Amino acid sequence: MTLDCHSDHCITCADEGIPMTVLRIDDARALALCANEDGDKSSVEIALVDVEEGDAVLVHAGVALTRLDQEPVNRQPSTVNAAQP
């Protein structure tokens, strides 16, 4: 079976990737308060990406999947990353 997908939506849940801006970060819970272009705000899980306030992220199903800017991140490693070899 071949899937020919030309949709802008996730084929699993029909949700879209939404560009959002990080407004505030709760590092302890790996959550961020983010706003879309209309100013609507929501909590977003940021465990998969390294972000700072003001960064643009692509959010799908309440999870930030990637930063939208292409600049490399030069930040101090988090305690989770520092423990890994």
Side-chain angles (χ1 to χ4, degrees), residues 60-79:
H60 172 75
V63 178
L65 300 177
T66 188
R67 289 176 48 232
L68 292 176
D69 59 324
Q70 299 301 313
E71 294 299 316
V73 178
N74 294 319
R75 300 188 182 121
Q76 296 298 319
S78 69
T79 55

Side-chain angles (χ1 to χ4, degrees), residues 5-42:
C5 182
H6 297 286
S7 174
D8 292 336
H9 297 80
C10 174
I11 61 171
T12 303
C13 68
D15 201 359
E16 296 179 279
I18 308 293
M20 300 188 89
T21 301
V22 177
L23 303 176
R24 194 172 347 160
I25 297 173
D26 180 348
D27 285 319
R29 298 189 299 161
L31 294 174
L33 178 63
C34 296
N36 66 14
E37 65 182 19
D38 294 330
D40 299 326
K41 298 175 185 170
S42 62

